[in-house]
Amino acid sequence: MKKLTTVFSFNLGQNSDFFRVAQTSIAQKFFLFLCLITGTFSVLGQSITGKITDAETVKPLNSANIILVGTARGTQSNSQGDFTLKNLAKGKYTLKITYVGYENFTQVVDLQKDERINVILKKSIFVADEVVVNATRANEKSGVAYTNVLKEDIQKQNLGQDIPQLLNFTPSLVTTSDAGAGIGYTGLRIRGTDATRINVTINGIPYNESESQGTYWVNMPDFASSVSSIQIQRGVGTSTNGAGAFGASVNVSTNEFHKDAYGQINASVGSFKTLKTTFMAGTGLIADKFTFDARLSRITSDGYIDRSASNLKSFYLSGAYFGKKSFIRLNVFSGAEKTYQAWEGVPEALLATNRTFNLYTYPNQTDNYQQDHYQLLSSHTLSNELTLNVNFHYTYGRGYYEQLREEDKYSKYGLPNVTVGTVVQKKTDFIRRKWLDNDFYGTTFSLDYKGSGRLSGNVGGGQNTYDGRHFGEIIWAKNPSTSTLGYRWYENKALKTDFNIYAKANYQFSDNINGFVDLQYRGIGYDMKGIADKRQDITQNNSYNFFNPKFGITTKLSETSRAFASYSVGNKEPSRQDFENNIQKAPQAETLRDLEIGYQSQSKGFAFALNGYYMDYKNQLVLTGKLNDVGEAIRINVPKSYRMGIELEAGVQATKSLKINANATFSENKILNFVEEVPNYDGGANVENKFTKTDIAFSPNVIFGSQILYSPVKNLEIGLLSKYVGKQYLDNTTNAKRQLNAYFTNDLRLNYFVETKTFKKIGFNFLVNNIFNSLYESNGYTYSYISDGQTITENFYYPQAGTNFLLGVNLTF
């Protein structure tokens, strides 16, 4: 692991002697600051105690959440429904108590002496939306590292950039954008793991594309406007539906109950001709049983990179029925995107002179795709202890990307050469389209048990089917061969089934010790038939059966601190690209054993968390740094590899108007033995270079994020948002000539709102990204080959925008 002094070696776009001199003292001061705060809590005298019971059964409610709003203090009720908040200063507090499936309780407490508050919570079908996603979410007793991102945090900077950019300041997360401005094709990595191993669900329903296992946020433009909350779990996490979580999971919830009618107009403008318009409306509760909500959005942007424009459209419709004991919601949402391709990146030689270079100049070098989603969600109260959730879903996706291919060989398309006079032409210019047409459908379910005693848990799972059609068409050729317009040079089909079932249980051994167990079986069938784009036969049938156990224990050390430990096993099948790119040697399934140990503490004005992890992989599919001919990452299995690190989080309410949040990750990510294969274009054998204990590609050893939030006057918040990402390697050789340099960015955000007679709320949002104009690259790729007896390495990068802005106005009525 790197020395601590490397943490704050910030890169402001130039070689600064100041930072090289100051880096040690800054790092030392930062950690001294944390140590001092955690070690100097005042001993205060007052306390709030109480008991939480069910209004109907009068039984105690175990694990209800109790927080003091605006402070870092909170706790949970024990198996008898009792709770205690000790060592509180005198003054007024807002006590908020929440319990899944029950109405929230809020009370202002003027604490001058010890207070006892007995709380009776009522069940409510109107909060059933949160019950639907509860089965796949973690809580304080799950023994895993997680972060909850609330709607109000998302909306502070929801000005058109995609969801990965809005999550940028959460722990261990790194974002990237092909177009360089956070609109269009964007992605994220968590703990160094790429999108194909980050499980994403929307209302508990799988969203990852079944074959690539990636998440294409561009297919859901402005989806953030419909999000009510997001939970990010790091590591294997708890059992979920869909693609295996092999580094993290992102659980998105869109469902939200609005009792009153509302309307909202959001508009934002910004650099690179960015424009976002959003219209939202809801009926509120009709006849005490129905609600309807709608959203219509459009985002356009030219992008930072040349010819990287995006034209994105989407809508969201939701209707819900609230019965006495049952809840049904139908969600229909769709996204259509047209983006100019910026997949090739910028050659290293041009970074200094033309950072916005785009190789493609053909006017219609675009990606075009539309995805329509249908979700039928339901929750049924069977008894005071049992709730049944049954959901159905269907997604239809279709689209293509168009490319001009200059001087391509006829043979690549299965076509004969063309003879012009006496000259045999083996190559010509083609315009081609690669199509994907697919259906994804299935069901997810859970039966939740929440008794008044020490035991709670659920049984759940899902059965999902993906039916995909792939084909490529030639729509134009400079010198046509024997083909006709629309000639298909490849065509294949894929059918993938994914079944999983899990059982989770929490058991409260004592008031201070809780145990967690989570057992999952997952079975996958994958059948491919036909010819792929390189005209290779990919016909094959693969099946996998995985058992994924997880165990955890949480102990309450005091009224203000707790610790946890967990051990989890995850297994994951290869993706379609892995099969296509490794046709001669079939890729193997991966196994991950994940050990997590954490500690959390809190006081009135300070919260601190420390999490350590060791992720041990067998046959991990790692990025080689290379891309195939359509910009998809090529991966290979490595027998042994690991990721280990520590994650720190701290929050300080320094004054009534000043809050500071910070997180840092220090990690080591290694492959024990790696073999690099270098193609030999001179006709000889490929060269193999063997390496021992090298860094895993795209895995920075240091990630740091912070938010300094200041409210000088009512309804105004000024935020300085900072992000540091350490150097990353483009491949697995730990070669300094194939790396992404460390970068440090700072954003300035202003949020202000007023209430008027005409509008419930008028909000103004102003965001300046990268205020110090740092020149940095967040992604890239590399490849090496032998030609004329020499080994040549070529690096390509994805530069991110310098200083740029977004300005938004929100009208709520």
Side-chain angles (χ1 to χ4, degrees):
M1 187 174 292
K2 299 295 183 184
K3 292 182 180 179
L4 190 60
T5 54
T6 64
V7 176
F8 289 85
S9 179
F10 295 149
N11 176 11
L12 296 183
Q14 52 190 325
N15 296 320
S16 171
D17 290 331
F18 172 80
F19 283 111
R20 282 200 295 270
V21 173
Q23 60 185 2
T24 301
S25 61
I26 295 174
Q28 290 173 340
K29 288 177 181 177
F30 176 76
F31 281 93
L32 179 61
F33 171 70
L34 290 180
C35 293
L36 286 173
I37 290 180
T38 56
T40 58
F41 297 136
S42 298
V43 178
L44 305 171
Q46 284 67 44
S47 65
I48 300 175
T49 61
K51 190 179 187 70
I52 304 172
T53 56
D54 179 282
E56 185 175 343
T57 65
V58 199
K59 291 181 178 180
L61 294 178
N62 184 12
S63 301
N65 294 308
I66 302 100
I67 63 170
L68 296 178
V69 178
T71 77
R73 293 298 304 273
T75 188
Q76 285 192 326
S77 59
N78 62 20
S79 59
Q80 302 303 311
D82 297 320
F83 70 90
T84 302
L85 292 167
K86 292 182 177 180
N87 298 332
L88 300 174
K90 292 181 179 180
K92 287 189 176 181
Y93 295 89
T94 300
L95 179 71
K96 184 175 182 180
I97 299 175
T98 61
Y99 194 72
V100 174
Y102 286 74
E103 293 179 356
N104 292 345
F105 172 87
T106 302
Q107 180 175 320
V108 175
V109 180
D110 188 359
L111 189 63
Q112 301 299 325
K113 60 180 181 178
D114 291 349
E115 294 281 353
R116 180 169 180 83
I117 301 174
N118 293 323
V119 179
I120 299 174
L121 296 185
K122 297 180 180 179
K123 273 199 170 186
S124 174
I125 198 66
F126 298 121
V127 295
D129 282 315
E130 63 187 29
V131 177
V132 171
V133 299
N134 186 59
T136 53
R137 287 202 168 183
N139 57 48
E140 289 188 351
K141 297 183 178 181
S142 301
V144 300
Y146 68 94
T147 300
N148 288 326
V149 183
L150 303 180
K151 179 178 180 178
E152 49 263 37
D153 297 317
I154 296 171
Q155 298 309 317
K156 285 181 180 180
Q157 58 191 74
N158 180 24
L159 300 171
Q161 293 181 308
D162 228 330
I163 286 179
Q165 303 294 318
L166 303 183
L167 301 177
N168 185 41
F169 298 97
T170 56
S172 299
L173 189 144
V174 176
T175 64
T176 186
S177 166
D178 283 9
I183 298 173
Y185 270 90
T186 60
L188 55 83
R189 297 189 180 99
I190 299 176
R191 289 186 180 174
T193 59
D194 64 88
T196 65
R197 56 204 51 231
I198 298 175
N199 172 277
V200 178
T201 57
I202 299 175
N203 303 318
I205 290 171
Y207 179 71
N208 297 66
E209 202 274 333
S210 294
E211 290 189 289
S212 72
Q213 299 175 34
T215 299
Y216 300 100
W217 302 99
V218 70
N219 296 333
M220 299 192 299
D222 197 28
F223 198 71
S225 291
S226 296
V227 168
S228 60
S229 67
I230 298 176
Q231 183 179 89
I232 302 172
Q233 297 179 29
R234 301 184 295 280
V236 172
T238 61
S239 291
T240 184
N241 300 306
F246 234 60
S249 58
V250 178
N251 184 312
V252 181
S253 175
T254 65
N255 303 326
E256 187 176 15
F257 170 70
H258 294 278
K259 183 178 180 180
D260 300 318
Y262 69 93
Q264 194 173 106
I265 300 173
N266 303 328
S268 59
V269 296
S271 302
F272 319 117
K273 297 182 181 179
T274 298
L275 176 62
K276 170 183 175 284
T277 50
T278 303
F279 301 92
M280 302 175 64
T283 62
L285 188 60
I286 301 174
D288 291 330
K289 290 185 179 297
F290 302 95
T291 64
F292 298 93
D293 301 275
R295 173 182 58 81
L296 183 64
S297 303
R298 185 185 180 191
I299 301 173
T300 59
S301 177
D302 282 355
Y304 169 67
I305 300 297
D306 296 340
R307 296 176 300 283
S308 61
S310 298
N311 188 351
L312 316 174
K313 303 173 183 177
S314 69
F315 71 82
Y316 179 91
L317 299 172
S318 182
Y321 165 78
F322 301 90
K324 186 176 181 180
K325 292 189 175 182
S326 293
F327 155 81
I328 299 174
R329 182 181 290 277
L330 175 64
N331 294 332
V332 180
F333 54 96
S334 177
E337 60 91 6
K338 182 172 185 176
T339 56
Y340 199 97
Q341 296 167 23
W343 298 339
E344 289 287 339
V346 178
E348 185 174 22
L350 293 180
L351 278 180
T353 58
N354 190 1
R355 293 180 58 81
T356 62
F357 172 82
N358 189 346
L359 175 68
Y360 299 131
T361 57
Y362 169 57
N364 203 38
Q365 191 96 0
T366 57
D367 181 68
N368 306 264
Y369 198 75
Q370 181 169 337
Q371 208 169 57
D372 305 327
H373 299 259
Y374 305 86
Q375 298 182 342
L376 183 63
L377 314 174
S378 68
S379 181
H380 311 275
T381 302
L382 304 182
S383 68
N384 287 322
E385 291 81 20
L386 290 174
T387 303
L388 176 65
N389 306 300
V390 181
N391 312 310
F392 299 92
H393 67 90
Y394 171 69
T395 300
Y396 176 47
R398 68 279 189 194
Y400 65 90
Y401 55 88
E402 187 171 314
Q403 293 179 311
L404 169 64
R405 302 283 295 188
E406 297 179 306
E407 292 295 294
D408 255 4
K409 293 180 179 179
Y410 288 103
S411 59
K412 287 179 62 174
Y413 301 91
L415 296 172
N417 296 331
V418 172
T419 301
V420 179
T422 59
V423 178
V424 177
Q425 295 186 347
K426 297 182 179 181
K427 300 178 180 180
T428 193
D429 296 345
F430 293 95
I431 296 178
R432 68 186 192 183
R433 288 179 175 175
K434 287 189 171 184
W435 282 86
L436 174 60
D437 185 75
N438 58 79
D439 302 279
F440 179 56
Y441 52 91
T443 181
T444 63
F445 60 90
S446 69
L447 178 64
D448 302 338
Y449 172 77
K450 226 166 193 179
S452 58
R454 298 180 180 273
L455 178 67
S456 62
N458 56 65
V459 176
Q463 170 69 59
N464 304 294
T465 301
Y466 173 89
D467 187 354
R469 284 80 60 190
H470 303 257
F471 59 91
E473 292 182 335
I474 294 176
I475 65 170
W476 177 86
K478 184 176 181 180
N479 292 308
S481 180
T482 57
S483 64
T484 58
L485 189 66
Y487 164 74
R488 297 185 179 183
W489 84 92
Y490 76 90
E491 191 166 8
N492 60 79
K493 296 182 179 181
L495 183 69
K496 185 175 182 179
T497 57
D498 186 340
F499 170 76
N500 92 95
I501 188 167
Y502 57 79
K504 305 177 185 180
N506 275 295
Y507 188 77
Q508 195 77 37
F509 292 101
S510 69
D511 286 347
N512 295 329
I513 299 176
N514 181 83
F516 173 73
V517 62
D518 179 349
L519 305 176
Q520 182 194 46
Y521 164 78
R522 184 167 175 250
I524 300 103
Y526 192 25
D527 186 20
M528 293 187 288
K529 295 180 180 179
I531 304 298
D533 62 334
K534 295 179 182 177
R535 296 189 56 77
Q536 74 273 37
D537 188 353
I538 59 170
T539 300
Q540 56 187 289
N541 185 281
N542 298 279
S543 61
Y544 303 90
N545 294 280
F546 298 137
F547 176 58
N548 302 318
K550 308 165 184 73
F551 307 94
I553 188 166
T554 303
T555 179
K556 186 177 179 181
L557 303 177
S558 70
E559 294 299 330
T560 60
S561 64
R562 72 182 185 96
F564 70 84
S566 66
Y567 178 77
S568 308
V569 177
N571 292 277
K572 188 171 180 296
E573 75 279 13
S575 70
R576 176 188 176 90
Q577 290 97 316
D578 297 322
F579 288 110
E580 289 190 1
N581 296 328
N582 300 279
I583 196 70
Q584 295 179 346
K585 184 180 179 181
Q588 302 178 60
E590 310 168 85
T591 299
L592 167 60
R593 294 170 287 268
D594 180 20
L595 176 64
E596 307 269 340
I597 300 175
Y599 168 80
Q600 296 176 350
S601 70
Q602 54 185 321
S603 67
K604 180 185 177 183
F606 180 78
F608 175 77
L610 170 66
N611 184 64
Y613 63 89
Y614 181 75
M615 301 166 66
D616 180 31
Y617 294 89
K618 177 183 178 182
N619 294 325
Q620 182 181 186
L621 282 159
V622 297
L623 300 172
T624 63
K626 301 177 182 178
L627 302 181
N628 63 17
D629 62 344
V630 295
E632 296 168 335
I634 296 176
R635 305 187 302 182
I636 60 171
N637 289 108
V638 292
K640 293 286 292 180
S641 57
Y642 67 85
R643 301 179 188 274
M644 69 176 181
I646 58 173
E647 296 166 327
L648 299 97
E649 297 179 77
V652 180
Q653 187 76 49
T655 68
K656 186 177 181 180
S657 57
L658 178 63
K659 181 194 291 186
I660 303 172
N661 299 319
N663 61 74
T665 301
F666 310 96
S667 65
E668 183 176 89
N669 311 276
K670 296 292 185 181
I671 300 172
L672 298 189
N673 294 287
F674 177 71
V675 178
E676 177 194 29
E677 184 174 353
V678 182
N680 190 340
Y681 296 153
D682 292 337
N686 292 345
V687 174
E688 289 189 349
N689 298 318
K690 297 182 179 181
F691 299 87
T692 302
K693 206 170 184 181
T694 60
D695 283 44
I696 303 176
F698 302 103
S699 300
N701 290 340
V702 178
I703 304 171
F704 170 78
S706 70
Q707 297 179 315
I708 301 175
L709 307 175
Y710 179 57
S711 300
V713 297
K714 184 180 179 181
N715 300 338
L716 172 64
E717 181 183 84
I718 303 171
L720 177 64
L721 318 177
S722 302
K723 186 79 173 187
Y724 173 82
V725 178
K727 69 179 179 182
Q728 308 169 60
Y729 293 101
L730 296 175
D731 65 8
N732 303 299
T733 63
T734 316
N735 188 330
K737 294 182 179 180
R738 309 174 191 175
Q739 74 174 34
L740 294 169
N741 293 328
Y743 58 87
F744 179 51
T745 63
N746 293 271
D747 304 337
L748 181 66
R749 187 184 72 200
L750 281 77
N751 302 104
Y752 178 70
F753 71 89
V754 295
E755 297 173 346
T756 68
K757 294 181 179 180
T758 305
F759 296 98
K760 292 181 181 178
K761 185 176 178 180
I762 303 177
F764 301 91
N765 303 318
F766 183 53
L767 177 66
V768 183
N769 295 299
N770 198 359
I771 58 177
F772 295 124
N773 199 36
S774 295
L775 302 181
Y776 72 102
E777 300 78 45
S778 61
N779 202 3
Y781 62 95
T782 184
Y783 60 87
S784 300
Y785 57 91
I786 297 171
S787 179
D788 295 330
Q790 295 182 328
T791 300
I792 300 171
T793 297
E794 298 190 32
N795 299 327
F796 293 79
Y797 297 89
Y798 295 88
Q800 302 300 288
T803 303
N804 64 96
F805 78 93
L806 291 163
L807 173 65
V809 178
N810 307 316
L811 305 177
T812 303
F813 49 91

